[in-house]
Amino acid sequence: MRTATERRYGGLRIVEPIALPLDEHLFDDGASLADALAKAVAADLRGAIARRGSARIALSGGSTPRAFLTALSKQTVDWPHVTVLPVDDRWVHPRHERSNEKLMRETLLQGAAAAARFMPLYRPSPSPEAALLPVLSRVANEALPLDVVVLGMGEDGHVASLFPDLGRDSPGLREIGLQPSGRAPALAVRTANAPEPRMTLTLSAIFTAPSLYLHIEGAKKKAVLEGAAADPTSLLPVRAVLAGAPRPPSLYWCP
């Protein structure tokens, strides 16, 4: 992936940054985006099952993907051979309104898709730090390598639960979370930008998937994404995704 271009003026070599590439799919509305993304992801899952006999997918939560998750549940996939896990989750009970597990059970894991195997990141433990070792072990042994990942992005440029202030108090956490390759597939996160502690996949786990999607909606988020793609000095986590992904992510966006 090229991140700069060179020009020469006389004997002077000038290196100019260029925007990181994106495979863009732009839609007029959320319904058409949800339908198209669901079909693309379902095709990836069917392909993985045909090659290996099973498929593994990590999905984002929040309000944006609700329509997409519902549309995906209606796709024709051999769901008993699919493992689903959240990209990240808040450290709240699975029945809590802010739980990504709850969202996925209410939207994706319905009808035929209810036969998929769900792998939660949350455990009945007082903190994500206390549960980190068993979560690390399970993700490493049962979820990796992933086949598909669908990421969202916040208006602050965060992806998964990898926030711009990650590692502010513990600098090593930023390196672990945003490292494109490494041995830590999950990370316990606390941030001033969110009220609850969280558990998240790291980029090293996310980048095991050959199919990587960015699902964002709204003009403000697209401006943040384009700014991060164009600025090689950006410290936004989404910039780390664009710069470190083995191949350009597929952007699905609508106003």
Side-chain angles (χ1 to χ4, degrees), residues 237-250:
V238 72
R239 171 74 190 191
V241 172
L242 301 179
R247 57 190 58 81
S250 294

Side-chain angles (χ1 to χ4, degrees), residues 137-160:
S137 177
R138 191 175 189 199
V139 170
N141 292 323
E142 301 179 37
L144 301 185
L146 293 162
D147 296 293
V148 187
V149 174
V150 182
L151 292 175
M153 187 198 75
E155 291 184 353
D156 60 355
H158 84 264
V159 293

Side-chain angles (χ1 to χ4, degrees), residues 91-196:
W91 210 250
V92 296
H93 192 278
R95 291 196 294 273
H96 193 284
E97 286 303 313
R98 285 173 57 79
S99 166
N100 287 340
E101 178 177 343
K102 174 182 171 67
L103 170 70
M104 291 175 193
R105 291 190 183 280
E106 291 179 347
T107 54
L108 174 61
L109 301 177
Q110 299 291 319
R117 176 194 182 205
F118 185 78
M119 183 185 297
L121 293 182
Y122 175 83
R123 286 170 172 256
S125 174
S127 71
E129 291 85 0
L132 182 57
L133 286 179
V135 170
L136 282 172
S137 177
R138 191 175 189 199
V139 170
N141 292 323
E142 301 179 37
L144 301 185
L146 293 162
D147 296 293
V148 187
V149 174
V150 182
L151 292 175
M153 187 198 75
E155 291 184 353
D156 60 355
H158 84 264
V159 293
S161 282
L162 304 171
F163 288 86
D165 68 347
L166 180 69
R168 181 185 58 188
D169 300 320
S170 302
L173 292 183
R174 184 175 182 87
E175 181 179 348
I176 293 170
L178 299 180
Q179 186 173 317
S181 61
R183 296 183 178 180
L187 186 67
V189 173
R190 294 178 185 268
T191 170
N193 294 308
E196 311 96 346

Side-chain angles (χ1 to χ4, degrees), residues 206-217:
I206 290 167
F207 287 167
T208 64
S211 295
L212 176 59
Y213 296 89
L214 269 175
H215 173 194
I216 66 172
E217 300 185 9

